[in-house]
Amino acid sequence: MSAQSRGSGRFGPGVVPVAVPMAVMPAVGLWGLDRGGMWGDESVTFQVAQRTVPQIWRLLHDVDAVHGLYYLLMHAVLAVHPDEVVLRLPSLCAAAATAGLVAALGVRLAGPRVGLWAGLLYAITPMTGHYAQEGRSYALVAAGVAGATLLLLRAVEAATARAWWPYGTVAALTCLLHELAVLVLCAHAATLALMRVPRRVWSGWGRAAGAVVLLLLPLVWVSQGQSGQVAWLVTPGWDKAERLVRHFSPGPAGVVFCGSLLLVAVGLRTRRLAAVALPLLLVPPGILMTVSQVRPLFHERYVLYSLAGASLLVAAGAGRVAGVLGRLRFDGRRVRVGGRQVHALLGVTGVLALTVTFVHHLPVHRQDRSAAHRPDNLAVVSALALRQMRPGDPVLFVPSVGRLAALAYPKGFRQVRDIALRESAPRSGTLWGREANPGDLRHRLASVDRVWVVAEAYALDPRWSPRDPAERTKLAVLAEEFTVREEHARDGVTLRLHVRRAPADAPATDEPSTGVATAGEPFPMRRGSSGFRVERRPSVVDRAVHRAP
């Protein structure tokens, strides 16, 4: 390492460049943190984390094993105060830590100025703010990967067996938070190859990486049996790759996006930094997209941690441009970069440019902080139910995943009767409870003359043909014996009041008018304007649809 890198990596010149991004990220992330509603995946975190530890453990045997460690962590967090803001605070804190760690990497590899810019770039990128406000594990995984990368550099420098223990520990915990974080080990292997480290370094890293993989194998084995949860993912094409590239930029389009690409190309000339940042940026998404051509597993949130590589390369490119500008001649005099005034001027100019970038993209940030920008808003569903339903009314969720609204916001459903529910979610060890079998369900519906139906938008599509016999029974009974009297739609969810048909109004055929479709047919999509909300349904909905009955 250069003398500058060695010195700036310790307390001293490197403290301010690390502290500033860590202060900026919470300021950005706290804006709109309480957006007035959870969406489906967040609601799963919220209700699962409030179960007892034995109940969580039982759930993981059937579903969501990949999130087990995160649920246990959130169990401790929500024990303090079960609230939407508290639910998202760990992700916000993790994003702040990641911004600081990215800055620390930049300081160590290219000096304080590049470190400051890299940390700030990470903090103001819209994708960072999006997942910093999610009650899911992805921001924590990004922090773990950034921390493991910094510890990798320290272990390489120390070249002792003891130095690999912190690296292996952080990498293992990160992979247990989400198993696809294991791809960062491939990125780190590429880094060591580009740095041409000696054999003893490879030996130390190999033992640490091997221990991480061995520790992860039981989780991988269990999660393979739950692979139906990601059956909704599709094979990624070039459109997905382009979308990811745009989301890794501080601006998804226009001058900022094009400028970021140019700076990344320039930043590649900073070889030591590029040896770390380029594999982190390309290897995990590249491997996941390649594997997904055979078995779709790709989603941008699974490789959020690769965003750190983009921020480092853009900052390094800006640092090289600043160096060239600092060496220009003015009136026959040569201005040297080493001067403190020039250093300060270039640093302030870079911060001002980042501020202008953030202000320019304020509409993107503002839109992302709206609850309507998430796939759904379960608080709205509960509020609609509270306004329309009367105490004692029977309610039917189509499909059963819609019960997440009642689990996350029970106030709207407290006085109504869930006519299909046989066993509650916590007691049954499932995400949304067990429902009555088709025969019992027909018997229960035969005893009522009116029933409220909470239906997802795709469930009203006549082409939808669910695999679950109970779901098919719901559609059949509603079509045969009931008619719609009222309908209220909000945020992709429809609330319908069905009343029993008069005998003369019975349909002429016994076949339900629900249409026919293949079980794997894709559902309708809803497009979002800023790019974070294209797929209509959250993953929990798709789990319910694609899992075998």
Side-chain angles (χ1 to χ4, degrees), residues 296-348:
L297 291 172
F298 176 81
H299 194 286
E300 64 178 29
R301 61 192 178 197
Y302 300 156
V303 290
L304 170 66
Y305 54 83
S306 291
L307 172 58
S311 299
L312 286 166
L313 286 171
V314 172
R320 293 191 70 88
V321 171
V324 172
L325 293 176
R327 289 192 294 269
L328 293 177
R329 295 177 181 274
F330 296 98
D331 298 328
R333 298 179 180 180
R334 187 181 178 90
V335 181
R336 296 186 180 277
V337 179
R340 291 184 178 180
Q341 292 181 343
V342 176
H343 267 298
L345 179 61
L346 292 174
V348 170

Side-chain angles (χ1 to χ4, degrees), residues 7-28:
S8 59
R10 298 183 176 91
F11 293 105
V15 172
V16 173
V18 172
V20 171
M22 291 186 70
V24 169
M25 185 68 246
V28 174

Side-chain angles (χ1 to χ4, degrees), residues 462-495:
R463 297 173 297 170
W464 184 57
S465 180
R467 294 180 179 181
D468 191 341
E471 300 296 345
R472 294 198 298 269
T473 299
K474 293 176 189 177
L475 296 178
V477 172
L478 290 174
E480 295 166 4
E481 303 178 16
F482 290 85
T483 185
V484 178
R485 173 173 291 180
E486 297 179 23
E487 181 173 310
H488 310 272
R490 186 78 182 269
D491 196 44
V493 175
T494 299
L495 184 64

Side-chain angles (χ1 to χ4, degrees), residues 61-423:
H61 286 75
D62 180 62
V63 69
D64 264 3
V66 68
H67 297 299
L69 180 59
Y70 176 67
Y71 288 154
L72 292 173
L73 170 65
M74 293 307 297
H75 174 76
V77 171
L78 294 182
V80 178
H81 182 62
D83 178 76
E84 292 177 37
V85 173
V86 176
L87 173 73
R88 297 171 185 136
L89 280 179
S91 293
L92 177 58
C93 293
T98 309
L101 290 166
V102 170
L105 284 166
V107 168
R108 194 176 191 89
L109 295 168
R113 185 176 61 209
V114 170
L116 173 65
W117 292 347
L120 289 175
L121 272 167
Y122 186 87
I124 68 169
T125 299
M127 187 178 186
T128 301
H130 181 87
Y131 289 104
Q133 296 191 335
E134 286 262 286
R136 298 298 276 175
S137 64
Y138 308 110
L140 279 76
V141 172
V145 166
T149 304
L150 183 59
L151 290 171
L152 173 73
L153 296 180
R154 292 183 175 180
V156 169
E157 181 183 358
T160 62
R162 182 178 297 179
W164 291 105
W165 278 99
Y167 168 78
T169 300
V170 172
L173 289 173
T174 303
C175 293
L176 289 175
L177 277 172
H178 198 285
E179 63 187 20
L180 289 180
V182 74
L183 297 177
V184 77
L185 296 180
C186 300
H188 289 169
T191 292
L192 296 181
L194 291 172
M195 293 172 66
R196 298 180 180 178
V197 298
R199 183 176 297 179
R200 68 178 184 276
V201 173
W202 277 108
S203 177
W205 176 83
R207 288 193 296 269
V212 171
V213 172
L214 285 176
L215 184 64
L216 192 63
L217 283 178
L219 176 60
V220 173
W221 182 76
V222 173
S223 63
Q224 285 301 302
Q226 302 172 1
S227 58
Q229 292 182 261
V230 292
W232 60 280
L233 293 171
V234 298
T235 302
W238 288 110
D239 58 330
K240 294 283 187 182
E242 179 188 359
R243 173 185 167 91
L244 184 65
V245 170
R246 291 187 179 277
H247 284 175
F248 277 2
S249 168
V255 176
V256 173
F257 176 68
C258 295
S260 297
L261 293 180
L262 291 174
L263 289 176
V264 166
V266 175
L268 293 175
R269 296 179 61 84
T270 308
R271 293 186 179 180
R272 186 171 178 83
L273 182 143
V276 175
L278 189 62
L280 184 59
L281 173 63
L282 296 182
V283 172
I287 292 176
L288 197 57
M289 282 192 171
T290 302
V291 171
S292 294
Q293 302 306 309
V294 179
R295 180 182 178 183
L297 291 172
F298 176 81
H299 194 286
E300 64 178 29
R301 61 192 178 197
Y302 300 156
V303 290
L304 170 66
Y305 54 83
S306 291
L307 172 58
S311 299
L312 286 166
L313 286 171
V314 172
R320 293 191 70 88
V321 171
V324 172
L325 293 176
R327 289 192 294 269
L328 293 177
R329 295 177 181 274
F330 296 98
D331 298 328
R333 298 179 180 180
R334 187 181 178 90
V335 181
R336 296 186 180 277
V337 179
R340 291 184 178 180
Q341 292 181 343
V342 176
H343 267 298
L345 179 61
L346 292 174
V348 170
T349 302
V351 172
L352 288 176
L354 292 172
T355 303
V356 171
T357 299
F358 178 74
V359 172
H360 178 68
H361 288 94
L362 271 179
V364 176
H365 290 276
R366 185 181 298 111
Q367 186 179 35
D368 193 60
R369 278 148 179 79
S370 168
H373 193 59
R374 261 36 183 202
D376 48 35
N377 185 350
L378 302 185
V380 170
V381 178
S382 180
L384 184 62
L386 182 63
R387 286 196 302 270
Q388 303 298 332
M389 296 182 188
R390 301 184 310 207
D393 276 351
V395 60
L396 187 67
F397 296 96
V398 182
S400 58
V401 66
R403 191 173 288 106
L404 286 177
L407 292 170
Y409 296 97
K411 182 179 179 181
F413 299 89
R414 189 164 291 155
Q415 296 184 337
V416 298
R417 178 163 54 101
D418 190 337
I419 195 169
L421 185 64
R422 175 165 55 93
E423 190 177 13

